[in-house]
Amino acid sequence: MSVPTQTLPRQLDPQQLAEKFAATRALTDHLVSRLSPEDQVPQSMTTASPVAWHRAHVTWFFEELVLGRVDNPEHRFLFNSYYEQIGDRQPRPQRGMITRPSVTEITAYRANVDERVTEALKTGDLDERALELLEMGCSHEQQHQELLLMDFKHLLSLNPTDPVYLERPRDDAAEVPSLGWIPVPEGVGEIGADAAAGFSYDNERPRHRTYLPGSMVADRQVTVGEWKEFMAAGGYRRPEFWLSDGWATLKETGWEAPGYWRREEDGTWTTFTLSGRRPVVDSEPVMHVSYYEANAFAAWAGRRLPTEAEWETASSAWSYGDELDPDRCHPNNVRRNTLGGVWEWTQSAYLPYPGFEPEEGVASEYNGKFMSDQYVLRGGSALTPRGHSRKTYRNFFPAPARWMAGGLRLAADSPGEPR
Amino acid sequence: MSVPTQTLPRQLDPQQLAEKFAATRALTDHLVSRLSPEDQVPQSMTTASPVAWHRAHVTWFFEELVLGRVDNPEHRFLFNSYYEQIGDRQPRPQRGMITRPSVTEITAYRANVDERVTEALKTGDLDERALELLEMGCSHEQQHQELLLMDFKHLLSLNPTDPVYLERPRDDAAEVPSLGWIPVPEGVGEIGADAAAGFSYDNERPRHRTYLPGSMVADRQVTVGEWKEFMAAGGYRRPEFWLSDGWATLKETGWEAPGYWRREEDGTWTTFTLSGRRPVVDSEPVMHVSYYEANAFAAWAGRRLPTEAEWETASSAWSYGDELDPDRCHPNNVRRNTLGGVWEWTQSAYLPYPGFEPEEGVASEYNGKFMSDQYVLRGGSALTPRGHSRKTYRNFFPAPARWMAGGLRLAADSPGEPR
Amino acid sequence: MSVPTQTLPRQLDPQQLAEKFAATRALTDHLVSRLSPEDQVPQSMTTASPVAWHRAHVTWFFEELVLGRVDNPEHRFLFNSYYEQIGDRQPRPQRGMITRPSVTEITAYRANVDERVTEALKTGDLDERALELLEMGCSHEQQHQELLLMDFKHLLSLNPTDPVYLERPRDDAAEVPSLGWIPVPEGVGEIGADAAAGFSYDNERPRHRTYLPGSMVADRQVTVGEWKEFMAAGGYRRPEFWLSDGWATLKETGWEAPGYWRREEDGTWTTFTLSGRRPVVDSEPVMHVSYYEANAFAAWAGRRLPTEAEWETASSAWSYGDELDPDRCHPNNVRRNTLGGVWEWTQSAYLPYPGFEPEEGVASEYNGKFMSDQYVLRGGSALTPRGHSRKTYRNFFPAPARWMAGGLRLAADSPGEPR
Amino acid sequence: MSVPTQTLPRQLDPQQLAEKFAATRALTDHLVSRLSPEDQVPQSMTTASPVAWHRAHVTWFFEELVLGRVDNPEHRFLFNSYYEQIGDRQPRPQRGMITRPSVTEITAYRANVDERVTEALKTGDLDERALELLEMGCSHEQQHQELLLMDFKHLLSLNPTDPVYLERPRDDAAEVPSLGWIPVPEGVGEIGADAAAGFSYDNERPRHRTYLPGSMVADRQVTVGEWKEFMAAGGYRRPEFWLSDGWATLKETGWEAPGYWRREEDGTWTTFTLSGRRPVVDSEPVMHVSYYEANAFAAWAGRRLPTEAEWETASSAWSYGDELDPDRCHPNNVRRNTLGGVWEWTQSAYLPYPGFEPEEGVASEYNGKFMSDQYVLRGGSALTPRGHSRKTYRNFFPAPARWMAGGLRLAADSPGEPR
């Protein structure tokens, strides 16, 4: 197959990497500084991980892949997530059983690896591949910063006392901008990451041609207010809007609103946030909806979800504007042509791009082996560290998942009235 | 979006439809004529259905959609598969609990609906939409002929006495043709069904443009002999070839060979067929493998599965050659440029084509609502009635499914040595 | 330990056994004569078995234990229920997958074994132990007659058309006799079967002394009308009456009435019977209640369930009066001092009597190995063949089981007002 | 029924109670002093609880039942174990999700309630019933001291690094005393607690007559060495020794040795203890065996488990000798006529004694509602606080449970050779 754009290897600068490494590690520490040791241990469900585990795992990743030497073999066993090539590991559902090493010991482990990486950068001990893996390790830790926040939110939500991770002022609703459409013209387009253009994961590459059918993508996300209309129209009671698996999931789980929402005695809705339980805000993007729900909403609206290619093509009209603010950790009100706040479900299954080549070595297990039974989300969320995401970024989750910050924007075959 | 080819409505001929209807119904009866009433009742797993239920369900489909009147409301409840618009129905996992109506009564039900449809065709009581639905009903019954055979095979396989559905001569292995490659040139191509070109399901439409990356598709299917090489190379023990969900499924199920295979005491492999348990035949296409296994095989071979678009483009080089022979019900040896024998997994998730419009009315639930967490298989199998499948046909199953006649052919980015 | 009564071996009369054997086999055939082949195949749940399997299993039991030779080794695999000493067998949850041998073949199998057993009895080929096992085999087949009816009732109940096994006239309610109490005086009593006194299972032996605390046992069973009072008093909504496991089961299952009951739109209750769905009858004994429900009812009534020893001691005041009538298969109205209609839950766990000795050989697995996590029921039911049960008979089921004909009678420490 | 012994109400001394209360609370604090906050949060399985939860729950028990006022309503919700009368509560499987209140806050909660109880005792604010409940609350906290240790052991065991709760010297094996038998003569005996004779739970009362069949009970527990003989004899591979449910559990779980045992590469066995992983010691009592295993061992040995009545009668020959030593937390070597080390499974189901009356009020839910599907264990273990258990004490667990310190001693109908 043809590779549309010729790529040259990027040159990585150790000094810049050292700064990025330090900043990334510091952000994790900052996010965790509000947590007690108790907060860091439990695992709220199999697909989530304890905060302490996240902290140790990202550290082990640097030790294993960049430094190439794991001082304590127990760390390899305990903190390997899923790398089969590295050997056996703590079973995923039992990550919450690890009370030793303690949080203090994990903090020390982090410091030790920080020191060793920093030293290795200074002494020039890291070859080009190690530098690449260090860059990837920073991106990896950023991913875990978001995971850590969303997993911890899920854990807190199971505490009936509605605890608060961080205090913040009450929310101010705003007028929601009317919906505009970004046209995506019919024809051959190009999507995907150019390896020479800066860091990207293997799953974003290669940049490649695709055929766009000619369509429109909404210039803003679906709001809480719009979701309430869907609910009022019987959205959770009318199977005609739902995928079959989605309807079965709804029946099984009893879904009748987005994740974390609760109908109060006065009939209003609240939602659980990292700042405790709060009334939902109509002008915010709807969040914690599954692929099934996003699809059903779009069907109800007479629209559909965009494909990855449509989304990425339309995204040239948009800017990032609502990434992680560690003092907020919650989306702002919806704005036009603005990315962030919530990840946006696309209609596209998470599959390899034509010409996809996994990373070499252990890193080959980073992305490719998850390319089944998941859907791509694009953009980024209010939990995504600044600078982590990009327009070619492919986030992915299974269709029923709701605990990440997932929302949606609509697409349409034509700009006319919805059917 | 643009529709590449202008389509005109097809004119359906009642006389031809009457013949197709009669032939379709007769084939079902023929396939079932080898079964006792006992054989027709049990449901071997939730995703399979009893033979008697298949026979009644396809009959109800004609009654409900074509005749527009269900004489016995119990039939509507018992034999509605999944049409939410029609109302409640027997829970899917309890289809095997229906011992009444009896097999004799179901036979009478079939005769009654046969008569009513035939009469309506004669008297011209069916409008154009009813004729379209009658045509779809025939295709629907053909699908259930394959389902009936594969479900019944699964049921029989759970009987430790290895019963025989039909006797047939012993298999003769043959020389396997060496593997050739069909080039699929880079550029804009067209796939999908043209509504004017004959019957197709809504999920095959519209015919639309797509971008082909430039690749090669194998001119024959993977054989049993090749699969044994994969097994000998540790295919079922080496996680590096597997998707993560696939490896987890393997661990959970203990898969170490395709479905129905059993290692005998002398170390050889047998497989359960509709003619009882038999030695596997190296020159036959491998069958009863899941998407996960197909993917792992391709990874081991340094190749990949074709996409739907690649498959359909390459298929112009192929002819159907191994469809249902009711006296065999088992694939023949692999031949080049020949379709049939086994359905072929593609890499593509089952998703709507650009511009997809579901059928109107009840039939809207036929295909579209299953477009999640499934993968497309193309071609047809030795259980697919002659004339049922076509090159635009999109069959679909979840990644772990093995009880249908699923196999594979390989694709490659380039014709060089596999990596 | 002491054996209170000296026992002498009983002498078994081959002629009498031949008659008993013939009559037992004939009753099974009679009960099944109303069923189609379809009816005989499905297994409605893991703890139930198909009718055809029951018919073949009891036949195999005679072949294996009495004749000592199983002609067809497949029968040994297919129709061995749980005898580990005999080897592997069809997994219990897959008994409903056996469509071959057919019902006709099973009928022939029965005839063949009938002939061989009859012949062996005539020629005197059976030694004393074989005669004992033949007697046990008849009792075993009687047990399966009841199982067959209750399992088939469960199967039919899953058919939404409420099919009818046998027609019978409408029920006539009657006046319920007021409740009297049988005093059970304090002191040493004797319970259990005397081996010399006629056939008994090993679990009923030995006859042994026990200490009775001094109490009262009701002279009739609890009625449907009384159960409705319990329901009206919130019996299914008030945890204070329930064992902890019972309450958890209620929460999980949604129980709000006995098994097979359904609240109709007019607020009345119907129940599924072997004669189809019918209004419940206040003067009949309540049936299809679990140990948990029986216990909760007794707690609500300020009473308790009797122990086995109390029940057996009190039973000298009672006669059997409502055993299987093949043209009714349903309890009659409650009468004082009458056994049958429904099995009666006791408070006693199913445990070995002091001095319990299992049967020898394969038959050792008949009863003893089930002595955990089950509760004893006494009496007999309207599905129990005449002459099968006796006052020392120990039936047993797990606490949540409802599909057998289980009801209750009350006991009290003192005859005063309930607390 | 008759109450064999006339009882007079005991008079409770507030000063003695204050001392008992202080000592009990101090022991909990001492046991927990070795734990980090991390250690106290996770819940290792549904039937276990977090250490922090145990600490708070026992505190709430005093607040709710003795003081009659719960200051913080969240504590009522979070730390109510199963008292339905008190209202809704944190679902049991989610006790491990409570990271707030923190361990520090729970420590403060304990101090607050300590102060309030102590003050109330001083001021005489507690009526007679409150004093009784205070006494029960101390016994309750002692129970939770054992639960806390066994639950924490289970949690630690899931950490692959084999962490250590407390260091202790290596074990010294000893000669195992030969087995003697305590005769239990046939006739009427008396068992159960006399309410006037000191504190007892409701489930131990009333003292009542029972008939003893005449038997023998072993004068010491079964040892690790003897258990190895059972294993060597195929104990875990021979279904003939096992209850049916036990064998099914073995097949499902893969049991091949007691809980926590692991076969090392050199073929020796180690076990996980609160002092880390250690070689098993032949002269210690076998521990962490289920009722099913205990039963199978007894069957293999040609013996049986004693009934409660036999055990309690024989126990007059025994003294407590191996209760909780907080610096050991592990059984000592087996000695004759000595109780403790491990709880001993009896053959008896956990059922109400004749004349059983539950405690009044909320405490009525303490014991009675668990009287189904559990078996009685007698004696006490190396994790049971000194003075907590007594010879009438009825501990109870479900048949498959292994995580508590459960072992066994044998009984026999006659002193002859085992069968």
Side-chain angles (χ1 to χ4, degrees), chain A residues 38-39 99-100 103 159 164, chain D residues 38-39 99-100 103 159-160 164:
Chain A
E38 292 91 319
D39 285 334
T99 66
R100 317 208 181 163
V103 163
N159 186 323
V164 168
Chain D
E38 294 90 320
D39 285 334
T99 66
R100 315 206 183 166
V103 163
N159 188 322
V164 169

Side-chain angles (χ1 to χ4, degrees), chain D residues 302-320:
Chain D
R303 305 297 190 185
R304 59 174 174 83
L305 296 177
T307 63
E308 281 195 270
E310 289 169 334
W311 191 98
E312 191 169 323
T313 305
S315 73
S316 63
W318 307 329
S319 314
Y320 275 91

Side-chain angles (χ1 to χ4, degrees), chain B residues 395-418:
Chain B
N395 199 354
F396 51 90
F397 280 95
R402 310 212 299 178
W403 90 109
M404 71 289 179
L408 72 155
R409 75 173 65 224
L410 296 174
D413 290 350
S414 70
E417 283 303 297

Side-chain angles (χ1 to χ4, degrees), chain B residues 20 24 27-28 31 49 53-55 57-58 61-62 81-83 135-151 199-204 324 343 350 363 365-367 370 377 381 383-390 393-397 403-404:
Chain B
K20 173 151 193 138
T24 304
L27 179 56
T28 302
L31 293 174
S49 294
W53 189 91
H54 281 299
R55 295 174 66 209
H57 163 71
V58 293
F61 188 93
F62 286 113
S81 52
Y82 51 66
Y83 296 90
E135 188 183 34
M136 176 186 283
C138 291
S139 193
H140 173 251
E141 180 146 352
Q142 287 180 319
Q143 270 187 282
H144 278 274
Q145 287 160 356
E146 175 152 13
L147 290 169
L148 177 161
L149 288 169
M150 69 194 229
D151 288 359
F199 177 77
S200 60
Y201 284 124
D202 55 5
N203 65 359
E204 303 169 52
L324 175 64
W343 289 95
Y350 178 50
E365 299 188 48
Y366 197 100
N367 277 309
F370 301 107
L377 299 102
S381 84
L383 303 182
T384 312
R386 277 172 217 274
H388 174 65
S389 196
R390 56 201 154 261
Y393 196 100
R394 306 175 81 198
N395 199 354
F396 51 90
F397 280 95
W403 90 109
M404 71 289 179

Side-chain angles (χ1 to χ4, degrees), chain D residues 108-138:
Chain D
Y109 176 39
R110 287 181 62 87
N112 171 273
V113 170
D114 284 353
E115 203 170 313
R116 286 159 60 200
V117 168
T118 308
E119 183 64 20
L121 276 167
K122 269 194 202 134
T123 56
D125 277 359
L126 302 180
D127 63 17
E128 195 59 29
R129 181 62 183 154
L131 293 180
E132 283 172 13
L133 289 165
L134 178 54
E135 188 182 35
M136 176 187 284
C138 291

